[in-house]
C-alpha cells in the first residue's frame, strides 16, 4: 500500500480533556519502521497521543499494533524513524529505562503479565514490590484498585482459577499499581465476556477522569472504537486512517440498508453481485451502498431484489467496521476470492425430517458440590443458527461437551441429530462436527495434512477424502496455501480451515465454540458468510458460542446463560423488545465535557450510565423526562449538552443489563 492510501483526518482536541493547542504530546511517532528479518511489521507510521486521552489502535492480526506498542513501552527496538515519549527520544536501552517507571504495560493474552499460582493479593504485592512502592502506599492503592474492579472479595483466589474477565481486571490493577502516567493495553478485552468488557472500560474511564492517566489501547473489536478519543486504523503495517472515530467513519460516503426478503440466501447471492459488502444478519440482509444518500441507497437495493419483494427496509449510517472494510475494498486490499462461498454437492447426506437437530432437557453437570450446568433446556431446529451466550464460566462449553458426548451429564437428557447423547456416543460423533475453543488443528501439519487426518478419523474413502479436501480448500479460500503449515496461517484463515475440518464428514449438526475469538473483522465476516451458507443452503444446524455481541445478531435464536442456567430464550428482536419494555429506550448524550458529565450523571443516580468515547449512554423508561433531567443536571454544573438522541438497542445492551440484574439479585441474597 502506497502513502496515498493513508487518510489523515484534521481534528481538534477531544472534548473534556482540557488540552491546549500547544500542549506537548505524551507520545510522538514519526516515520516509524520495524522489521523482523524480511517481514515489515510497521512501515512509516506517524501519530501523536495527547495527555489524558484514550488513543486507540485498530486493525487485524499482523497490522503492526503490538510492535508499535512495545516500542512505545521501551521494550522493543525499531529500525528507523523517531519515537518520543514524555519528551524523551527513545532510541537506546538507556533512554528507554528513563521512561519505564512512568509506563504500565499489559501485553496481549489473558493474564500473560500475571503469575498463575499466586493469589490476587500476591500478584498485586509482587508488582508493587518490584516497582519499589512503599508498603503503606502499596496497600492503600491496592485497596482502592481492587475495590474499583470488584476483585476485593476474591483476594485469596489463585490467578489460574479466575475467569477471563477477572484475569484482565487483575492485569490492569498490576499495570496501574505504581501510578503510571501512560498505560499501554494490547487487546485487553479479547476473549472477555461483554459484562467484563464494559466493566473494564468503566474502570479505565474512571481512572482517566480521576488521575488524568493517558491510555494507548489496541483492539480487534470495532465497536470499541466509540470509546476512543482518537484512533488510527492500521493495515499491513501502515496507517489507513486516523482521527476522531466520527471523523474516520465519515471518510467513506455511503449508507447501510437493512431489509428482509425470501428466500434470503437467493436474495443475498443476487445482492453480492452488485454490492460486494453484503451480508446476512439473522433474518436481515445488510448491504453497504457506496456514495449514496438514504433515498439512493434504498432505491438501489430495492430495485436489485424487487423480485423477492423486500420488506421492512431501514437505512442507517455505516459503523466503523463497515468503513474499515470499505476502505480496504476501495483500495484493493482485500482478496475478493476469499469471500466466495461454495455449497456442497447435491448429494448432500444432510437430512431434514422435520425433527429437532438438538434437544437439551434439564441438563445438569456437577463437579463435586459445584454445579457448572444446572437444569439447562433448549431446542435447535435443522438449518437454524442457535447462539448460546454467557459470561466466562457461565457453563456454555460444559453444555457443548455433554451434547457431543465428551462429558457425561450428572442428570438430564439430550438428543443430537436423532441420537440419544447418553447411549449413542459413536452415532453422535458421526453426525456432528465440533470446533472447540482451545484446540481444532495440528499446528505443525500442513493445510492438506490436517484435512486428510480428519478424513481418516471419520473413515472417509480415498475418493471421498479427495472430494472433501477440494471442497474445503475452495470454501475456506485456501487455494495456493495447501502446503502451508496451519500454525503459520492468519487467525481468520486458520479458523476457516478448522471449520472445514469439522465439516469433512458432512455432519448434520455443527458445534462452534467461540470460533471468532481473536479473529479480525474481515475474518469474522468471512466466517459468518460460511456459517450462513451452511445453515441456509445445506440445512446444517449450528450451535455457536461467542463473546462478540454484534455476532449474536446473526443468530436465529438465542439462549443466554448465567451461573449454569438459561435465563432468556428467544430471537434477538424479541430479547431487545423485552428489554425496551422493561427498562426503556437507549439514550445517547453528547456534551462538551464527557468525563465531567459522566461523574455528574453517576452521582445523580441515572441508571446504567456508561461512557462511549465522547458520548454517554443510559436506559430511560421515559426518554423525554430523562432528557429533561439530564439537561438540567448538566447545565447546573456548567456542562453544555450538545445533543440527546434515542439509539436502537443492541444485543450487548440486552446481555449486560440482564446479567447485571442477575448479579445484583444474587448479591442481595447473600
Amino acid at each position: 500500500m502506497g502513502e496515498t492510501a493513508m487518510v489523515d483526518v484534521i481534528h481538534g482536541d477531544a472534548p473534556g480533556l482540557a488540552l491546549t493547542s500547544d500542549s506537548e504530546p505524551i507520545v510522538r511517532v514519526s516515520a516509524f519502521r520495524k522489521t523482523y528479518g524480511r517481514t515489515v511489521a510497521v512501515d512509516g507510521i506517524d501519530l501523536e497521543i495527547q495527555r489524558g486521552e484514550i488513543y486507540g489502535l485498530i486493525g487485524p492480526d499482523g497490522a503492526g499494533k503490538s510492535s508499535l506498542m512495545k516500542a512505545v513501552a521501551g521494550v522493543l527496538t525499531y529500525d528507523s524513524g523517531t519515537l518520543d515519549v514524555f519528551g524523551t527520544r527513545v532510541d537506546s536501552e538507556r533512554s528507554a529505562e528513563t521512561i519505564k517507571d512512568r509506563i504500565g504495560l499489559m501485553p496481549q493474552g489473558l493474564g500473560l503479565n500475571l503469575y498463575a499460582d499466586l493469589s490476587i493479593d500476591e500478584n498485586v504485592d509482587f508488582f508493587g514490590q518490584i516497582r519499589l512502592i512503599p508498603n503503606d502506599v502499596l496497600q492503600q492503592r491496592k485497596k482502592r484498585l481492587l475495590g474499583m474492579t470488584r476483585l476485593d472479595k476474591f483476594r485469596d483466589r489463585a490467578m489460574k482459577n479466575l475467569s477471563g474477565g477477572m484475569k484482565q481486571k487483575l492485569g490492569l490493577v498490576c499495570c496501574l499499581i505504581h501510578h503510571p502516567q501512560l498505560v499501554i493495553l494490547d487487546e485487553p478485552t479479547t476473549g472477555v465476556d461483554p459484562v467484563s468488557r464494559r466493566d473494564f472500560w468503566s474502570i479505565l474511564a474512571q481512572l482517566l477522569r480521576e488521575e488524568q492517566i493517558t491510555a494507548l489501547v489496541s483492539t480487534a473489536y470495532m465497536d470499541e472504537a466509540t470509546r476512543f478519543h482518537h484512533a488510527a486504523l492500521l493495515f499491513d503495517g501502515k496507517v489507513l486512517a486516523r482521527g476522531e472515530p466520527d471523523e474516520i467513519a465519515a471518510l467513506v460516503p455511503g449508507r447501510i440498508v437493512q431489509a428482509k426478503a425470501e428466500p434470503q440466501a437467493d436474495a443475498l447471492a443476487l445482492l453480492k453481485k452488485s454490492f460486494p459488502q453484503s451480508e446476512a444478519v439473522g433474518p436481515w440482509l445488510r448491504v453497504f451502498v457506496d456514495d449514496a444518500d438514504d433515498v439512493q441507497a434504498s432505491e438501489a437495493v430495492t430495485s436489485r431484489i424487487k423480485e423477492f419483494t423486500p420488506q421492512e427496509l431501514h437505512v442507517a449510517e455505516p459503523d466503523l467496521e463497515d468503513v474499515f472494510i470499505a476502505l480496504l475494498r476501495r483500495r484493493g486490499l482485500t482478496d475478493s476470492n476469499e469471500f466466495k462461498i461454495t455449497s456442497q454437492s447435491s448429494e448432500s447426506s444432510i437430512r431434514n425430517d422435520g425433527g429437532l437437530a438438538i434437544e437439551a432437557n434439564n441438563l445438569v453437570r456437577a463437579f463435586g458440590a459445584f454445579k457448572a450446568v444446572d437444569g439447562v433446556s433448549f431446542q435447535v431446529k435443522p438449518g437454524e443458527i442457535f447462539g448460546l451466550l454467557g459470561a466466562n464460566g457461565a457453563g456454555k462449553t460444559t453444555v457443548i461437551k455433554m451434547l457431543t458426548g465428551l462429558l457425561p451429564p450428572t442428570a438430564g437428557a439430550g438428543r443430537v441429530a436423532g441420537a440419544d447423547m447418553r447411549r449413542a456416543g459413536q452415532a453422535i460423533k458421526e453426525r456432528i462436527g465440533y470446533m472447540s475453543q482451545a484446540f481444532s488443528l495440528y499446528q505443525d501439519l500442513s493445510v492438506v495434512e490436517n484435512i486428510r487426518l480428519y478424513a481418516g478419523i471419520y473413515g472417509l474413502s480415498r475418493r471421498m477424502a479427495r472430494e472433501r479436501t477440494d471442497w474445503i480448500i475452495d470454501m475456506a479460500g485456501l487455494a495456493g496455501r495447501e502446503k502451508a503449515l496451519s500454525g503459520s496461517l492468519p487467525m481468520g484463515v486458520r479458523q476457516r480451515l478448522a471449520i472445514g475440518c469439522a465439516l469433512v464428514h458432512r455432519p448434520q449438526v455443527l458445534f462452534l465454540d467461540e470460533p471468532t475469538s481473536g479473529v479480525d473483522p474481515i475474518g469474522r465476516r468471512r466466517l459468518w458468510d460460511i456459517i450462513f451458507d451452511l445453515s441456509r443452503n445445506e440445512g446444517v444446524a449450528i450451535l455457536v458460542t461467542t463473546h462478540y455481541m454484534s455476532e449474536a445478531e446473526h443468530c436465529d435464536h438465542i439462549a443466554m446463560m448465567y451461573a449454569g442456567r438459561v435465563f432468556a430464550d428467544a430471537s434477538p428482536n424479541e430479547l431487545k423488545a423485552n428489554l425496551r419494555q422493561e427498562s426503556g429506550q437507549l439514550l445517547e448524550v453528547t456534551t462538551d465535557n464527557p468525563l465531567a458529565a459522566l461523574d455528574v450523571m453517576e452521582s445523580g443516580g441515572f441508571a446504567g450510565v456508561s461512557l462511549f468515547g465522547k458520548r454517554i449512554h443510559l436506559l430511560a423508561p421515559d426518554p423525554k423526562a430523562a432528557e429533561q433531567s439530564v439537561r438540567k443536571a448538566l447545565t447546573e454544573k456548567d456542562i453544555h449538552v450538545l445533543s440527546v438522541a434515542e439509539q436502537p438497542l443492541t444485543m450487548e445492551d440486552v446481555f449486560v443489563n440482564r446479567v447485571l440484574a442477575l448479579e445484583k439479585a444474587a448479591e442481595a441474597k447473600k
Side-chain angles (χ1 to χ4, degrees), residues 156-175:
D156 296 330
R157 184 176 297 183
M159 186 282 278
K160 63 185 177 184
N161 296 327
L162 301 178
S163 70
M166 293 172 74
K167 287 177 182 176
Q168 291 304 77
K169 286 192 283 187
L170 176 58
L172 181 62
V173 169
C174 293
C175 180

Side-chain angles (χ1 to χ4, degrees), residues 6 32 165 297 304 317 375 410 550 668:
M6 193 277 282
F32 181 93
R304 194 74 183 95
E317 292 185 0
T410 305
S550 60

Side-chain angles (χ1 to χ4, degrees), residues 145-184:
L145 289 172
L146 291 182
M148 185 186 299
T149 53
R150 293 185 292 167
L151 292 174
D152 47 349
K153 299 174 184 177
F154 311 97
R155 297 167 75 123
D156 296 330
R157 184 176 297 183
M159 186 282 278
K160 63 185 177 184
N161 296 327
L162 301 178
S163 70
M166 293 172 74
K167 287 177 182 176
Q168 291 304 77
K169 286 192 283 187
L170 176 58
L172 181 62
V173 169
C174 293
C175 180
L176 294 168
I177 193 64
H178 63 295
H179 203 301
Q181 297 175 41
L182 172 65
V183 290
I184 299 173

Side-chain angles (χ1 to χ4, degrees), residues 340-519:
K340 180 181 178 183
I341 303 298
T342 56
S343 296
Q344 305 179 67
S345 73
S346 59
E347 300 176 0
S348 174
S349 62
I350 296 172
R351 300 181 303 276
N352 184 355
D353 56 7
L356 293 171
I358 304 173
E359 187 174 9
N361 294 314
N362 293 312
L363 286 177
V364 176
R365 176 65 203 193
F367 296 93
F370 173 68
K371 287 186 177 180
V373 175
D374 188 7
V376 165
S377 299
F378 58 81
Q379 298 177 342
V380 183
K381 301 173 184 176
E384 184 174 53
I385 302 174
F386 187 93
L388 192 59
L389 310 182
N392 297 98
K396 306 183 300 298
T397 299
T398 304
V399 168
I400 290 178
K401 286 182 177 179
M402 285 190 286
L403 290 172
T404 54
L406 296 175
L407 190 67
T410 305
R415 296 184 69 83
V416 179
D420 188 312
M421 71 178 204
R422 279 183 177 271
R423 296 188 295 272
Q426 186 57 39
I428 284 179
K429 290 180 176 66
E430 291 173 355
R431 300 175 192 178
I432 68 169
Y434 177 35
M435 179 175 155
S436 71
Q437 180 179 345
F439 173 80
S440 291
L441 299 172
Y442 291 87
Q443 306 289 304
D444 55 350
L445 294 184
S446 70
V447 168
V448 168
E449 287 169 341
N450 266 286
I451 298 172
R452 287 174 180 168
L453 175 64
Y454 276 84
I457 290 172
Y458 285 107
L460 272 62
S461 67
R462 287 187 178 181
R463 181 182 66 81
M464 183 59 70
R466 286 195 299 271
E467 288 180 6
R468 298 303 291 160
T469 297
D470 291 342
W471 179 82
I472 292 168
I473 295 294
D474 195 24
M475 176 275 294
L478 288 164
R481 291 175 165 174
E482 293 88 345
K483 295 182 180 180
L485 295 181
S486 65
S488 70
L489 299 174
M491 177 68 79
V493 178
R494 194 157 65 239
Q495 295 297 75
R496 295 204 298 275
L497 172 60
I499 288 181
C501 289
L503 291 167
V504 70
H505 58 303
R506 308 176 87 174
Q508 297 168 247
V509 178
L510 179 61
F511 290 89
L512 302 174
D513 196 3
E514 295 188 21
T516 59
S517 182
V519 179

